[in-house]
Amino acid sequence: MRMAKNAILSAFLAAGLLVAGCSGAGNANQADEEQQLEAAFEQGKTLNASFTDTRIAGMKGIAENERLRLFINDETGAIAVLDQSNGEIWHSNPLEAEADTIATGVNKGLLSSQLRIDYYNSFGQVSSINTFLDSVAYKQVRYESIESGVKVTYKFGKAEKTAMDLPLMLSISRFEQLSGKLDKAGQRALRIGYTENDEKTAYVRNDQALNGLQLERAFKAFEDAGYTPEDLEKDMAELNFTQESLAPRIFMASIEYTLDADSLLVRVPSQDIQSPSEYPVSNVSMLGFFGAAGSEEEGSIFVPDGSGALISFNNGKTKYPAYQQAVYGNDLAMEAVENAVNEQTVRLPVFGMIRKGNAFLGIIEEGAPAATINADISGKLNSYNYVYPTFNVTNKGELTLQANGSERTLPKFQEQPMKSDYTVRYAFLSGESATYKGMADYYRNYLLSNGGLPEQNSEDGEDALPFYLQVVGSIAKQKHIVGVPYQTLESLTTFKQTQQMIGEMKGLGIANIKLRYAGWFNGGLDHQVPDDVSVDRAIGGAKGLRSLAAFAEEEGVDLYPDMAVLTAHTGKGFNEKEEASRSLGGVPSSFYPLDLALNRRDRTKSPSYVVSPGLVDNYVKAVLKDMKSLNTGGISLRDMADQLNSDFRKNKQIDRTESEGISTQALNDIREANLNIMAEGGNAYALPYLSDITNAPLSNSNYKLEDEEIPFFQMVIRGNIDYTGSPYNLTSYTNVRQYILKCLEYGSGVYFEWIHEPNYKVKDTDFSNLYAVNYEQWLEQAADIYDEVNGVLKKVQNERITEHEKLGEGLFKTVYENGTYVIVNYKDSSATVNGMTIEAEGYVTGGEQS
């Protein structure tokens, strides 16, 4: 820390700027860095207009195609897109921003900004700059014509000395010491610049007096008196203060706008994000108010929370927090959630705005693993409803140092920024397509045209709805011999017992069974990492698994042996120091199992470890080699389509965008080995490789700001990938009718998790959450549920959802590709729709095509 503070004041004395160190050694060369950034920015030539349009006054037309025209204001950096198909104009910033009666200060400036940059100071605190207040205001903007668009480069801040760059306080002895070294002019500069404060027994900086010539004289006084880094350190310790300069630092960033058919592509190149090394960039927020809707407009914001959700414009929920969710959930190398939460994960990197007759869909094409989706309504910080992405550039953690019996926590930053550009496609929809259904259609077609979904399931295949069954083979259990504890495998369902269960299921009419078999190798459910595959003997060994695979093929059952690749659920056979991801604090990343009774992590149990993404390729190769002779035809991946983690190991960093590439390559290798893949979660990058998804989102998180839950996820993937939610017998459903209606509305398969042995076998183990999984207790009810749901959905197996509509409170209509519709009534009272009576917790169907 002393080195950092020495560097702080060295820069202060050299450049008149107080610069705080942030990650160990300070940076005495920041003044040089700022000079280099100053030199790197050239104002550029005036941007020539290719065309003009009276409907967009004050803007220059710079690019056009058959559908769109792109305009820019080369004074403010604001852009507009004209949709020539209907005359709709989409603006990057509200036209009436200056007249907003709610927004003040920085919030008003943000209304006119195209980028906001958050950056860290030496104490790990975040400060923000934006293009309007910190670049346009200084006329530090450069415009360049590029193919089909324009590139705008911003320089943020000016290297000017301010009062904030002087020490906040001086001790009385320090003030007298400095005065004794100065002439009368210097002494007068100190007396003007600092006022004695009896309460603090110190001299406090007089910011109001420090401007112009007086500010220059104060800086000269400190320099003449020889004020040193050690002096500053002593004053900060003695007077108990820390300080960070508020003077603008010099940053640079660019944003590129290009037209592509019916879309606007907006790209922030990572190489153009430049900052002083002492001030790493935390986040970049892109077009925070693109298409923002005013307080008198009608419509809704689409956010990708779980299955999807709508936030109505101006819904009056001003007391609730803004919507904010990270795409693909938490990075477990950064933090593990301590409490059990019911929050759904963002699986698809999309967002949008729906107005009457017009809408836009934002698709994050680059940087999705680093993205967070933000949305809010009018009446809080400003008068607008808006949605936008923020991209993480540099992660911050904490490093704890111990010395001389004391402990100190310092901020620690990742070594290199994210290795990704940040690109969003804004697609414009109109007419009947300006709905969430139209957005889902567009995104589905976008994925299909870009290889983002597998080919549509064949109509000639299985005509029954999938029934998903997770069987647990074995678990680790502690037993005792004459009082001495030892670990052994407890068999819950052998391969032979599984065949028996399948026979009973088929006898009750359950068809199209998709069997996910967990706890079958390397030590049971919480198996050792798959650096090799050894089938557990307790449930039948390799011979038993091959027999089950042959049986499954003969019976038309799809078999998916389950494994975790990104998580080491046991430390046995795993060297956490060498093989676990490292946190920014330098320790192996781990997390503890959830205690559902206490709703928090149970630190009395053994932790699980986050596997370094760098090991995934080796694990997958080992698995493919060892499973080749087992002839299963499929594999279930517990975490590869559900988690995305970094590794901050020193000099071997793997950021989250690189981790996505590693997982994608591994999934591709598995598919090329002719194994069908079932996976939990269903993150977008995994979709092209999957045949089935379990634990797919069938709801949103029910945040207070949200108004409506929608099956956007299902509307995108149905017909290409089969899916189901969580196992019914382990969900919070207390009413089976509600579960059946959800399956019908969302087109979902039925899902159960079972064991063959009695439930008491899991008592007093780490798997007591499997409290209700004995198959005999559920078999008949499962058959009844399946019979009812399959009776409707077998007519639409492999058919996509083409329409979804809320007809009233608790009433929803889903239309499938062949015209079949289902109207469900979740209420406990009957309802009438178009002359049809729908019983309480019932449904009606129609529209079947012959």
Side-chain angles (χ1 to χ4, degrees):
M1 192 67 181
R2 178 178 293 271
M3 291 177 63
K5 290 179 178 174
N6 288 351
I8 291 173
L9 205 61
S10 295
F12 158 62
L13 294 174
L17 295 169
L18 182 60
V19 179
C22 63
S23 59
N27 179 18
N29 297 320
Q30 185 173 357
D32 292 338
E33 291 178 347
E34 290 181 346
Q35 290 173 3
Q36 291 171 6
L37 287 173
E38 288 268 17
F41 181 82
E42 296 179 1
Q43 198 67 43
K45 298 179 181 179
T46 302
L47 191 66
N48 294 322
S50 299
F51 51 87
T52 58
D53 194 304
T54 56
R55 291 171 291 184
I56 308 179
M59 287 193 170
K60 297 178 178 179
I62 52 174
E64 62 181 329
N65 59 27
E66 292 182 359
R67 171 77 183 272
L68 305 174
R69 280 187 151 195
L70 176 62
F71 299 81
I72 194 164
N73 182 324
D74 59 1
E75 292 183 1
T76 65
I79 63 138
V81 178
L82 170 64
D83 188 338
Q84 299 187 89
S85 68
N86 59 9
E88 181 71 12
I89 301 171
W90 295 92
H91 291 274
S92 62
N93 305 92
L95 295 179
E96 305 298 325
E98 280 298 315
D100 193 322
T101 58
I102 297 177
T104 59
V106 171
N107 287 323
K108 180 160 281 191
L110 285 171
L111 288 173
S112 298
S113 300
Q114 294 79 51
L115 290 178
R116 187 189 79 224
I117 293 178
D118 299 330
Y119 65 93
Y120 298 111
N121 65 18
S122 64
F123 308 111
Q125 301 163 328
V126 177
S127 299
S128 296
I129 50 179
N130 65 72
T131 55
F132 186 73
L133 296 178
D134 301 285
S135 182
V136 170
Y138 299 132
K139 301 185 184 300
Q140 298 174 161
V141 189
R142 181 174 73 240
Y143 303 91
E144 304 169 62
S145 294
I146 58 177
E147 185 177 355
S148 301
V150 64
K151 179 176 182 178
V152 186
T153 300
Y154 300 93
K155 186 181 81 170
F156 301 81
K158 297 180 75 66
E160 295 178 343
K161 294 179 289 185
T162 72
M164 303 298 182
D165 295 311
L166 291 168
L168 180 63
M169 288 186 280
L170 297 172
S171 67
I172 293 176
S173 60
R174 178 77 61 221
F175 185 90
E176 293 174 349
Q177 180 189 58
L178 295 176
S179 297
K181 297 179 180 180
L182 298 171
D183 58 19
K184 291 184 178 181
Q187 292 173 358
R188 184 171 183 274
L190 276 187
R191 288 197 302 272
I192 293 173
Y194 287 81
T195 303
E196 188 171 3
N197 185 310
D198 294 334
E199 185 177 319
K200 294 181 179 294
T201 61
Y203 282 84
V204 179
R205 193 178 63 211
N206 182 8
D207 291 352
Q208 292 182 343
L210 287 167
N211 51 63
L213 186 60
Q214 292 299 336
L215 181 62
E216 292 182 16
R217 289 172 175 169
F219 276 110
K220 186 175 186 303
F222 275 96
E223 186 175 353
D224 290 347
Y227 191 67
T228 67
E230 288 77 11
D231 296 336
L232 175 61
E233 184 176 350
K234 290 177 181 177
D235 288 337
M236 291 172 73
E238 180 180 345
L239 300 174
N240 192 29
F241 75 92
T242 58
Q243 81 174 74
E244 177 67 28
S245 171
L246 300 182
R249 299 299 151 204
I250 304 301
F251 294 78
M252 287 182 66
S254 299
I255 186 167
E256 298 174 357
Y257 306 98
T258 56
L259 298 181
D260 181 27
D262 58 359
S263 304
L264 170 71
L265 287 179
V266 183
R267 176 173 173 262
V268 176
S270 58
Q271 66 180 14
D272 290 353
I273 301 172
Q274 300 181 47
S275 69
S277 58
E278 297 293 328
Y279 292 86
V281 171
S282 169
N283 300 303
V284 173
S285 297
M286 176 190 292
L287 295 187
F289 294 92
F290 185 88
S295 56
E296 302 300 319
E297 296 187 62
E298 295 182 9
S300 56
I301 303 168
F302 160 63
V303 292
D305 174 16
S307 64
L310 299 179
I311 301 170
S312 298
F313 292 172
N314 315 306
N315 63 16
K317 299 179 180 179
T318 55
K319 294 182 180 180
Y320 298 123
Y323 171 83
Q324 186 177 76
Q325 268 192 300
V327 176
Y328 306 143
N330 292 327
D331 183 341
L332 294 179
M334 281 295 300
E335 59 179 342
V337 177
E338 284 298 313
N339 298 321
V341 293
N342 295 319
E343 179 180 287
Q344 295 287 328
T345 300
V346 171
R347 301 297 181 188
L348 305 177
V350 291
F351 58 92
M353 298 278 282
I354 304 171
R355 292 168 156 175
K356 281 190 173 181
N358 292 284
F360 78 76
L361 174 66
I363 303 171
I364 301 175
E365 293 192 337
E366 293 181 286
T372 294
I373 309 298
N374 311 272
D376 211 349
I377 57 167
S378 65
K380 295 166 74 174
L381 300 177
N382 52 63
S383 301
Y384 295 92
N385 306 274
Y386 52 96
V387 61
Y388 66 95
T390 293
F391 296 96
N392 182 227
V393 178
T394 305
N395 284 299
K396 177 184 77 73
E398 292 183 343
L399 181 65
T400 301
L401 303 178
Q402 294 179 334
N404 300 323
S406 62
E407 188 173 275
R408 188 174 231 173
T409 300
L410 301 174
K412 177 70 184 298
F413 305 98
Q414 68 181 64
E415 293 176 335
Q416 299 293 330
M418 293 286 178
K419 296 180 178 64
S420 174
D421 294 332
Y422 308 112
T423 302
V424 177
R425 175 181 296 270
Y426 291 84
F428 304 106
L429 310 172
S430 61
E432 294 182 355
S433 295
T435 60
Y436 63 84
K437 177 262 181 185
M439 289 180 169
D441 285 346
Y442 187 97
Y443 187 51
R444 174 189 174 85
N445 291 329
Y446 168 86
L447 290 176
L448 287 170
S449 63
N450 289 279
L453 281 175
E455 294 182 4
Q456 190 162 5
N457 291 332
S458 171
E459 295 181 2
D460 298 327
E462 179 68 61
D463 61 358
L465 180 76
F467 183 100
Y468 291 89
L469 172 63
Q470 171 157 312
V471 167
V472 179
S474 61
I475 58 172
K477 186 173 184 178
Q478 189 175 78
K479 295 186 177 181
H480 297 80
I481 293 181
V482 290
V484 179
Y486 68 98
Q487 284 280 343
T488 186
L489 276 184
E490 180 78 35
S491 172
L492 301 180
T493 315
T494 66
F495 296 128
K496 284 187 177 181
Q497 289 169 338
T498 302
Q499 295 180 41
Q500 173 203 327
M501 289 164 55
I502 290 172
E504 293 183 49
M505 293 166 64
K506 292 178 77 73
L508 291 173
I510 298 176
N512 197 8
I513 298 170
K514 301 204 174 189
L515 175 62
R516 181 186 185 196
Y517 201 111
W520 61 277
F521 81 112
N522 288 17
L525 186 58
D526 279 357
H527 60 78
Q528 297 179 42
V529 291
D531 50 2
D532 62 16
V533 173
S534 176
V535 184
D536 295 333
R537 293 183 180 180
I539 54 174
K543 183 178 179 181
L545 179 54
R546 280 191 285 268
S547 176
L548 175 62
F551 172 83
E553 184 176 11
E554 183 178 336
E555 294 292 322
V557 173
D558 295 335
L559 174 60
Y560 297 90
D562 179 72
M563 66 175 57
V565 178
L566 305 182
T567 309
H569 288 289
T570 174
K572 189 175 181 181
F574 183 74
N575 185 339
E576 66 269 21
K577 292 183 178 179
E578 298 295 330
E579 298 172 323
S581 285
R582 290 298 180 105
S583 70
L584 282 164
V587 299
S589 298
S590 63
F591 57 94
Y592 289 84
L594 284 169
D595 184 325
L596 297 181
L598 299 176
N599 205 38
R600 63 171 182 260
R601 300 283 175 180
D602 185 351
R603 294 182 175 272
T604 66
K605 302 289 179 62
S606 298
S608 297
Y609 293 93
V610 180
V611 172
S612 171
L615 295 175
V616 168
D617 179 58
N618 291 338
Y619 287 173
V620 168
K621 287 179 179 177
V623 166
L624 293 177
K625 177 183 176 182
D626 292 345
M627 286 189 65
K628 192 173 183 180
S629 64
L630 299 176
N631 303 317
T632 63
I635 188 172
S636 167
L637 299 173
R638 200 180 305 175
D639 47 23
M640 198 174 289
D642 181 55
Q643 294 180 20
L644 201 56
N645 305 316
S646 305
D647 185 354
F648 298 107
R649 188 177 300 275
K650 188 174 182 180
N651 299 324
K652 294 182 180 180
Q653 172 186 292
I654 300 173
D655 70 36
R656 211 174 185 214
T657 61
E658 294 173 301
S659 183
E660 179 190 43
I662 291 171
S663 289
T664 299
Q665 182 60 54
L667 289 163
N668 183 67
D669 291 344
I670 295 171
R671 282 297 297 126
E672 288 190 345
N674 295 318
L675 286 175
N676 291 325
I677 302 175
M678 175 186 288
E680 283 193 17
N683 290 344
Y685 55 84
L687 296 180
Y689 311 99
L690 305 183
S691 61
D692 297 85
I693 298 173
T694 60
N695 296 83
L698 297 188
S699 67
N700 64 342
S701 300
N702 292 307
Y703 294 128
K704 296 291 187 181
L705 193 69
E706 297 171 339
D707 295 293
E708 188 175 338
E709 169 190 296
I710 59 174
F712 186 91
F713 183 88
Q714 286 71 24
M715 296 172 80
V716 170
I717 72 167
R718 198 174 200 278
N720 297 76
I721 305 173
D722 288 332
Y723 55 87
T724 188
S726 302
Y728 170 71
N729 56 321
L730 292 178
T731 63
S732 58
Y733 280 102
T734 57
N735 185 336
V736 69
R737 298 302 309 165
Q738 298 288 315
Y739 178 75
I740 289 171
L741 296 178
K742 177 65 74 170
C743 290
L744 295 177
E745 183 194 357
Y746 277 52
S748 170
V750 176
Y751 189 21
F752 278 81
E753 181 169 352
W754 289 340
I755 62 174
H756 188 275
E757 295 298 308
N759 289 325
Y760 72 79
K761 287 291 187 78
V762 301
K763 188 179 179 181
D764 299 325
T765 73
D766 289 342
F767 306 96
S768 55
N769 61 305
L770 303 177
Y771 53 85
V773 291
N774 173 257
Y775 86 103
E776 291 178 315
Q777 295 178 322
W778 295 100
L779 185 56
E780 289 191 5
Q781 185 180 31
D784 290 342
I785 293 172
Y786 180 75
D787 180 63
E788 185 169 359
V789 176
N790 184 53
V792 176
L793 294 185
K794 69 180 179 181
K795 304 170 186 175
V796 295
Q797 178 60 5
N798 298 326
E799 301 279 342
R800 63 189 182 90
I801 297 173
T802 56
E803 298 282 351
H804 181 268
E805 181 183 5
K806 182 178 181 179
L807 302 177
E809 195 61 36
L811 287 169
F812 299 91
K813 181 179 181 180
T814 303
V815 182
Y816 293 90
E817 193 171 9
N818 66 2
T820 297
Y821 68 79
V822 184
I823 301 176
V824 299
N825 177 16
Y826 287 98
K827 298 184 298 181
D828 57 5
S829 60
S830 63
T832 301
V833 177
N834 297 329
M836 294 182 294
T837 298
I838 309 172
E839 298 300 326
E841 296 185 328
Y843 58 90
V844 297
T845 65
E848 293 91 342
Q849 302 295 310
S850 58

